[in-house]
Amino acid sequence: MFATRTSLLAYLLLASITTTASAHSKQNIGRETLHPQNGWAASGTGVAGGSAAVAEQVYIVRNRSELIAALNNGVVSSTSPSNPSNEPKIIYVKGTIDANVDDANNPLTCTDYYQDGYTLEAFLATYDPAVWGREDEPSGELEDARLASRNAQQARVRIRIGSNTTIVGIGKGATIKGAWFDIRGTANVPNSRSNIIIRNLTFRDTYDCFPEWDPTDGDLGSWNALYDSVSLRDTSNVWIDHNTFEDRETRDSTLPQHFGVLYQVHDGLLDITNASDLVTVSWNEFRNHDKMMLIGSSDSAVADRGKLRVTLHHNLFDGIGQRAPRVRFGQVHVYNNLYDLRDTPSYNYSWGVGIESAIYAEENVFIANRNFTVDRIIARFNGTALSVSDTLVIGPRVRNPVDVLGAWNAVNDPDLGFDAGWVPTLDHELLPAWTTPILVPLLAGPQAK
Ligand code: CA
Ligand code: CA
């Protein structure tokens, strides 16, 4: 695929990067801090996470109860505390932690959460558009029972995380299954939640047993689920690095249709909203999911202006349908990411240009499928401009540097402008695009350290 000279150059680059990585791993991964030039999260106070933890605040956790106790200053609580500890702490995850379990770590299925007479069968019979119609959203006893059942699941899967926290997986197999890491500060209180590191973990199969039916959403109606694997709200200075986010057992192709549309149990993988700011998302794998990353949740959320600054670099997006990312308001640097579209049956777009968004995309690589055309990389949602340079497409019909913005403007009106209005500086790992399809498959995702 690559000429010998190119391979040699890549090898030398790889050698220099892995030398740096191994120098790091000689110290303990739990004590590592963000490099001062590594993306937006390095701005302001940077990210030290829980690296300053005293010995009593270093935990190894193997199940949901131990994880929640560690987050809550060692206090065991049957439900997720809404005020997790902000003490500097390091939490090592060992093995697989399933969030859908009871306090004795017995697995809970969707039916175990049923409350007040809810069953999926009864819900489908009652709110079938042929019976209920399409004018009004569901209401009444059975919808109330769905909400009660949803709350019962939420009490298990929603996990709050405090400031000054590092959560890292031990080895390649550390897994968080079915959970929603709900990281949030207090609205309009700057730095009420900040300084968090999440590394070397696999987030798998976050799912909502009780998605909401909205018959008025789209022509056919739609099922809307609640939980992201990780969501950031009113939170700043966060580093998300070397993780995998994926649907495996619950991937969309395994889900049924109800009322003629997909019974969607997933929301985002990593959503960054509500005036969150200064986030670096590096060397992660995102796989087999439709809506991946929402940066900014509403056009009317003007408190997001000047915030939502995010750097995405050296991530693998494999089988991602849309929102990689979708941006409102924020200055978002997207570089050296690898978009593999070969197994993406419902590819929609990658870069969503939302209101007042300022995406600066450079040195990204797309591995195309047969239906791919370059203009499909971008979708506009009330945005006006983005900066794009040095995009490479490898595929059946193209294998060249491509002009993404030119291709989009050629088939859409009005045109998008070519200047996002800012130039990134915190980019010490920026490399030529051709290195991306070599380095990202080798080094993204959890590492065996
Ligand atoms: Ca979400
Ligand atoms: Ca045009």
Side-chain angles (χ1 to χ4, degrees), residues 350-374:
S350 296
W351 303 333
V353 182
I355 190 164
E356 297 180 37
S357 67
I359 294 173
Y360 194 108
E362 55 183 332
E363 313 293 349
N364 295 288
V365 176
F366 289 78
I367 305 178
N369 60 28
R370 297 209 167 269
N371 304 319
F372 175 84
T373 50
V374 174

Side-chain angles (χ1 to χ4, degrees), residues 44-312:
T45 54
V47 189
S51 60
V54 297
E56 294 72 35
Q57 293 289 349
V58 178
Y59 301 89
I60 297 177
V61 300
R62 296 171 190 78
N63 58 47
R64 176 187 175 280
S65 310
E66 290 177 0
L67 172 60
I68 287 172
L71 290 164
N72 198 24
N73 227 346
V75 177
V76 177
S77 152
S78 67
T79 54
S80 181
S82 56
N83 289 302
S85 158
N86 295 322
E87 287 297 311
K89 74 191 87 59
I90 303 169
I91 300 174
Y92 296 95
V93 174
K94 194 166 185 191
T96 296
I97 293 181
D98 191 344
N100 285 286
V101 294
D102 65 16
D103 283 342
N105 208 37
N106 298 308
L108 297 172
T109 65
C110 288
T111 55
D112 293 323
Y113 295 120
Y114 284 6
Q115 303 287 315
D116 304 339
Y118 175 92
T119 66
L120 178 58
E121 293 71 23
F123 190 90
L124 293 176
T126 304
Y127 301 111
D128 188 323
V131 177
W132 182 259
R134 293 189 175 276
E135 304 289 302
D136 300 308
E137 292 173 12
S139 61
E141 267 180 32
L142 208 52
E143 170 65 5
D144 292 344
R146 181 190 69 83
L147 293 169
S149 306
R150 184 197 69 189
N151 290 344
Q153 186 193 18
Q154 189 164 291
R156 307 311 298 179
V157 301
R158 172 162 147 178
I159 292 171
R160 300 285 189 86
I161 291 165
S163 301
N164 311 314
T165 297
T166 292
I167 305 181
V168 296
I170 298 175
K172 267 184 124 159
T175 300
I176 305 285
K177 193 177 161 192
W180 169 28
F181 276 16
D182 176 19
I183 304 176
R184 62 159 91 184
T186 307
N188 306 315
V189 180
N191 300 314
S192 53
R193 190 70 78 215
S194 67
N195 191 30
I196 295 167
I197 297 175
I198 296 175
R199 298 180 76 195
N200 223 48
L201 285 166
T202 294
F203 291 90
R204 240 178 67 194
D205 291 308
T206 300
Y207 61 92
D208 183 347
C209 289
F210 306 96
E212 174 187 53
W213 169 244
D214 185 349
T216 69
D217 185 350
D219 293 341
L220 298 172
S222 68
W223 295 96
N224 296 315
L226 264 190
Y227 314 129
D228 308 319
S229 292
V230 176
S231 64
L232 306 180
R233 292 181 277 187
D234 296 296
T235 298
S236 59
N237 293 95
V238 178
W239 184 29
I240 312 264
D241 177 71
H242 279 104
N243 304 286
T244 294
F245 296 78
E246 65 176 342
D247 300 327
R248 199 180 294 173
E249 290 160 32
T250 64
R251 66 185 289 187
D252 285 357
S253 58
T254 70
L255 300 176
Q257 296 218 331
H258 291 310
F259 304 159
V261 291
L262 182 74
Y263 187 62
Q264 181 53 270
V265 300
H266 306 121
D267 194 21
L269 288 176
L270 171 54
D271 284 0
I272 302 167
T273 65
N274 297 54
S276 290
D277 199 18
L278 305 177
V279 180
T280 296
V281 180
S282 53
W283 298 102
N284 300 281
E285 300 172 320
F286 296 89
R287 295 183 189 276
N288 306 332
H289 196 95
D290 184 30
K291 295 175 177 173
M292 190 206 67
M293 182 183 294
L294 190 62
I295 301 177
S297 58
S298 162
D299 282 9
S300 58
V302 292
D304 288 347
R305 245 176 221 149
K307 298 185 185 286
L308 299 176
R309 289 172 291 180
V310 179
T311 300
L312 293 173

